[in-house]
């Protein structure tokens, strides 16, 4: 007999997992702990998720989607390309690595675990990349598709580094001076400058 999945049960699993991941990290969180915190058996978890990595990706996907939605609303309010770009860089390299006491580092920890590499799906990365490209179109409307791709890659790779840095270096994120320098650099590129 096919078991019917319930949204409330899935939400209970992800809510319990998020709390445990934030408290114990990826390696320190076990499926039986998640099941107990969600009020169910460990076997029932596998009806909803393939394993711990799948749960984390679901938690992180929702978390990051909310962060990007809030960021888009802020960028929509910006009155210039310079302010929009700076808002994006500050969010990706200062605010998000520090959000929820460095929650991003849990994903970095999980992705460095070789046991999940064969199960990793690039879906989350692809979604984040697509959303960042849309935001960059607002920030650098005159830039080419190639420039948008380059800046998106830079944003993501540096974000990973700053998320890890936040965890390893006592809350350290990008310096304002570095962000300002990169904003000026991208805004001064020929294909990123507004056309007259």
């Amino acid at each position: 007999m096919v078991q019917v999945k319930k949204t409330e049960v899935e939400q209970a699993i992800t809510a319990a997992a998020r709390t445990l991941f934030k408290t114990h990290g990826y390696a320190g969180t076990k499926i039986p702990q998640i099941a107990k915190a969600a009020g169910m058996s460990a076997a029932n978890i596998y009806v909803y998720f393939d394993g711990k990595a799948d749960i984390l990706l679901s938690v992180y996907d929702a978390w990051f989607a909310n962060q990007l939605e809030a960021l888009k609303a802020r960028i929509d309010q910006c009155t210039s390309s310079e302010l929009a770009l700076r808002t994006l860089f500050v969010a990706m390299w200062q605010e998000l690595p520090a959000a929820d006491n460095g929650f991003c580092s849990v994903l970095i920890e999980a992705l460095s675990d070789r046991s999940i590499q064969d199960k990793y799906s690039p879906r989350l990365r692809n979604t984040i990349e697509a959303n960042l490209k849309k935001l960059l179109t607002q920030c650098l409307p005159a830039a080419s598709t190639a420039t948008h791709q380059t800046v998106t890659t830079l944003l993501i790779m540096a974000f990973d580094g700053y998320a890890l840095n936040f965890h390893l270096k006592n809350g350290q994120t990008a310096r304002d001076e570095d962000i300002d320098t990169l904003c000026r650099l991208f805004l001064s590129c020929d294909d990123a400058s507004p056309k007259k």
Side-chain angles (χ1 to χ4, degrees), residues 10-191:
E10 186 172 336
Q11 289 172 345
I13 294 167
T14 56
R18 181 173 182 206
T19 300
L20 290 165
F21 287 137
K22 284 174 66 175
T23 305
H24 303 290
Y26 181 77
T29 300
K30 308 295 182 215
I31 291 288
Q33 290 173 298
I34 297 170
K36 183 177 180 181
M40 65 188 65
S41 70
N44 201 30
I45 297 269
Y46 291 100
V47 171
Y48 292 85
F49 296 96
D50 292 335
K52 185 169 67 167
D54 191 28
I55 297 170
L56 177 63
L57 289 175
S58 178
V59 168
Y60 196 79
D61 189 22
W63 182 86
F64 214 94
N66 289 335
Q67 301 292 330
L68 287 178
E69 187 177 317
L71 176 58
K72 182 184 181 330
R74 288 172 47 204
I75 288 175
D76 287 345
Q77 299 300 312
C78 291
T79 56
S80 69
S81 292
E82 183 176 356
L83 182 57
L85 189 62
R86 189 174 200 296
T87 299
L88 178 59
F89 282 12
V90 165
M92 289 297 294
W93 296 344
Q94 289 180 341
E95 296 168 355
L96 290 177
D100 284 339
N101 199 29
F103 180 60
C104 297
S105 67
V106 176
L107 182 65
I108 304 293
E109 176 191 357
L111 294 176
S112 66
D113 180 350
R114 292 192 184 279
S115 68
I116 74 159
Q117 289 179 357
D118 61 336
K119 300 172 193 165
Y120 174 71
S121 164
R123 183 184 57 78
L124 176 61
R125 161 102 185 198
N126 293 341
T127 300
I128 292 169
E129 188 172 318
N131 282 304
L132 286 175
K133 280 184 195 173
K134 287 178 191 172
L135 292 175
L136 277 165
T137 301
Q138 286 180 255
C139 299
L140 299 171
S144 67
T145 302
T147 297
H148 288 153
Q149 181 60 54
T150 298
V151 179
T152 298
T153 301
L154 174 68
L155 275 168
I156 292 171
M157 297 305 288
F159 167 77
D160 290 346
Y162 286 123
L164 186 58
N165 217 34
F166 181 86
H167 178 69
L168 296 175
K169 291 197 171 180
N170 231 6
Q172 184 179 355
T173 60
R175 297 176 331 134
D176 287 331
E177 298 83 2
D178 296 338
I179 289 172
D180 291 339
T181 298
L182 285 169
C183 283
R184 283 192 304 274
L185 175 71
F186 285 113
L187 288 167
S188 70
C189 291
D190 285 342
D191 76 334

